[in-house]
Amino acid sequence: MTTAGTEHVGGEKRPRTGRVTLLVALAVFAQESTWNFYDNQVPPLLREHLASAALVGLFMGMDNLLGIFVQPWLGSRSDNTRTRWGRRIPYLVVGMPVAAVLFLLIPHAAATLPTLILTMFSYALVANAFKPIAEALLPDFIEPDRRSRANAAVKIASGLTVIVAASISLLVVDEHPYLAFAIPSGLMVMAVVVLASRLRETRSTGYQTALADDSAFAAREGGQNLGQGRHAGPVGTRVRDTLVDIVGDPDRSRLSMMLAIFVFAGAWFSSRSLMTPFGQEALGLSRGDAGGLTLPSGLAFLLAVYPAALLAERYGRFVVIMAGMGVFAGALVLGTVLDSSTGVVVALCIGAAGAAGFMVNAVVVLWNLAPSVRVVGTYSGLYTVGWMSGGFLGPALVGGLVDLLGWRWMLLDIAALAVISIAIVARVRRHHRHPDEQSADERSASDRVAEERTT
């Protein structure tokens, strides 16, 4: 029962959902601050050693390739961890400070290409390891009917990091390049201190439910392994079985949705990681000014995130996703036509507002396409695979097109990817009627019935 924002789980008080959302948003904010600054300022470091835009895009997509393999595995590992600190917090307490140190070392390692790439790889490996773990805290604490708007709040925190990264680029990087990398590192360390000291993960519904499931499983197996900290836990669906089901399903909705996520991720990541060299080459800006092109678009994204969640509840997630991607593509066409720094800034603002429609709702669509509520965690991992795969290959593909056609047309190259994604989502919507086309009340009722049937 909930009273005055406080819930009781397993005889203990659980923190109110607003406070939990704020703490999770703080952790995500700190992580994404480093990632956005990485996308802004590592490409110029690479360009000191590489002339090819395709190679720059390839190395900038390396972190997404690592995420494809590291994030689902570490997310699963944290699911099966049991400590007095919880199952997520221990990974964050170790991983975030290590990632902060590695991030701080990046400009110092830029003297040679091998040391730069090694430091980039190390940072990306560690930062990818705990990225899904922080995000998994949200559904651990927040009840299903409150997660959409809580997720929007976390997206707002993530969007704020675009402003932070662009502000550091504008105000610090040209005069103090080493200090510029130290600021996001410091934010990450401060965030994990606050999170670890203020959040009691063992009180979460998710952790208490996991313990209850462990006890029930151990009782069925005669009590073996109970309390040893190395139990198998309840048997679940394997990732391989889920993939076979998706690929073999005559209804291609789930497979098509993953493809759409992959393609739009390529467009989005290209518009971020290649924007600084685009500003330098196509618009003649300095490194700092080019890195600041994305600053106003961060505010536009923030303003659009919560309305995107509300509009999806009213008109359906498919409609909002397709409309948002259409706005994104159209904005990039506008930026190409205007061909000025001001025009590009305006285009990025409009495009970021449109992209919010996709980024708030796409993972929810994939969850709703899952055959059972028991496999939504696996589908979250599959979303990560699609998003990170697109983030890895998209910048390399767009960089290759830049090598062929020139920096002048880069925004059109990215817009073409968004149009392809729109076509894929339109096909899914046309051939598959699902809960995203229902009203909010209908979805809540159907979710409750589905959960009752699986318990």
Side-chain angles (χ1 to χ4, degrees):
M1 180 177 179
T2 304
T3 58
T6 302
E7 299 181 34
H8 293 264
V9 181
E12 294 184 272
K13 285 187 178 181
R14 196 188 75 172
R16 61 184 63 190
T17 57
R19 179 170 171 268
V20 170
T21 301
L22 180 63
L23 290 171
V24 174
L26 175 63
V28 172
F29 171 82
Q31 294 176 43
E32 293 299 320
S33 292
T34 62
W35 281 118
N36 274 291
F37 191 74
Y38 180 94
D39 287 340
N40 265 353
Q41 295 303 327
V42 173
L45 297 178
L46 287 170
R47 284 180 58 79
E48 293 177 4
H49 306 282
L50 299 170
S52 170
L55 285 176
V56 171
L58 184 65
F59 283 118
M60 286 305 299
M62 175 178 60
D63 59 288
N64 298 300
L65 178 63
L66 289 172
I68 294 171
F69 301 100
V70 174
Q71 290 193 27
W73 180 67
L74 262 297
S76 177
R77 291 283 299 178
S78 71
D79 285 340
N80 296 318
T81 297
R82 307 288 182 266
T83 74
R84 67 188 183 93
W85 295 95
R87 55 180 177 171
R88 320 282 188 199
I89 293 295
Y91 293 93
L92 298 176
V93 169
V94 174
M96 290 180 72
V98 173
V101 172
L102 291 170
F103 186 80
L104 182 65
L105 293 176
I106 289 176
H108 299 275
T112 66
L113 182 61
T115 57
L116 175 59
I117 293 175
L118 178 62
T119 308
M120 290 170 57
F121 178 87
S122 300
Y123 162 75
L125 180 65
V126 176
N128 269 302
F130 63 79
K131 185 175 181 180
I133 295 173
E135 295 170 354
L137 285 170
L138 195 65
D140 280 349
F141 280 94
I142 308 298
E143 298 301 319
D145 59 346
R146 303 180 185 178
R147 288 175 187 167
S148 293
R149 299 188 187 191
N151 187 49
V154 172
K155 291 294 184 183
I156 290 173
S158 179
L160 277 171
T161 64
V162 177
I163 298 177
V164 171
S167 297
I168 298 172
S169 292
L170 281 172
L171 303 175
V172 183
V173 74
D174 284 337
E175 298 295 330
H176 306 284
Y178 296 137
L179 176 62
F181 278 82
I183 295 173
S185 296
L187 289 174
M188 188 180 292
V189 172
M190 288 188 291
V192 72
V193 170
V194 173
L195 183 68
S197 63
R198 303 293 295 175
L199 191 65
R200 298 293 179 263
E201 188 195 344
T202 53
R203 299 177 181 176
S204 71
T205 300
Y207 191 75
Q208 294 295 324
T209 300
L211 292 179
D213 289 345
D214 292 345
S215 298
F217 177 80
R220 289 195 301 270
E221 297 298 316
Q224 295 180 357
N225 299 321
L226 182 62
Q228 298 178 8
R230 293 182 58 194
H231 46 78
V235 177
T237 303
R238 295 177 300 178
V239 175
R240 185 179 68 179
D241 296 333
T242 301
L243 289 174
V244 169
D245 178 51
I246 291 174
V247 174
D249 190 356
D251 181 354
R252 301 292 185 182
S253 297
R254 291 174 290 172
L255 187 61
S256 297
M257 194 64 206
M258 288 186 62
L259 179 61
I261 291 167
F262 168 81
V263 175
F264 189 75
W268 174 255
F269 279 98
S270 297
S271 73
R272 317 313 287 181
S273 62
L274 296 177
M275 191 53 60
T276 297
F278 170 81
Q280 292 176 286
E281 300 294 335
L283 303 176
L285 301 177
S286 71
R287 174 181 163 186
D289 289 341
L293 286 173
T294 56
L295 174 59
S297 66
L299 178 60
F301 181 86
L302 292 176
L303 295 176
V305 164
Y306 200 71
L310 299 180
L311 289 172
E313 292 179 1
R314 181 174 180 84
Y315 298 107
R317 293 187 176 92
F318 276 146
V319 173
V320 174
I321 286 173
M322 290 189 295
M325 289 190 294
V327 170
F328 177 81
L332 296 182
V333 174
L334 176 64
T336 303
V337 172
L338 295 178
D339 191 26
S340 66
S341 58
T342 301
V344 169
V345 168
V346 171
L348 290 176
C349 287
I350 298 172
F358 182 94
M359 297 167 82
V360 169
N361 296 297
V363 68
V364 182
V365 169
L366 200 58
W367 286 339
N368 288 347
L369 288 172
S372 168
V373 293
R374 296 187 184 276
V375 295
V376 293
T378 302
Y379 276 66
S380 297
L382 294 178
Y383 174 84
T384 298
V385 169
W387 187 253
M388 292 295 124
S389 298
F392 171 66
L393 294 175
L397 173 61
V398 172
L401 293 174
V402 168
D403 286 342
L404 291 174
L405 305 175
W407 286 102
R408 171 73 174 84
W409 310 109
M410 188 191 80
L411 299 183
L412 286 184
D413 299 334
I414 298 172
L417 291 179
V419 171
I420 293 172
S421 188
I422 293 171
I424 298 171
V425 174
R427 180 188 180 281
V428 177
R429 181 174 184 253
R430 187 168 61 251
H431 290 91
H432 191 82
R433 169 79 176 176
H434 70 88
D436 286 305
E437 302 298 337
Q438 299 175 346
S439 69
D441 291 338
E442 290 172 334
R443 286 197 301 274
S444 297
S446 63
D447 288 345
R448 286 195 298 270
V449 171
E451 289 188 16
E452 289 171 0
R453 289 177 177 173
T454 56
T455 57

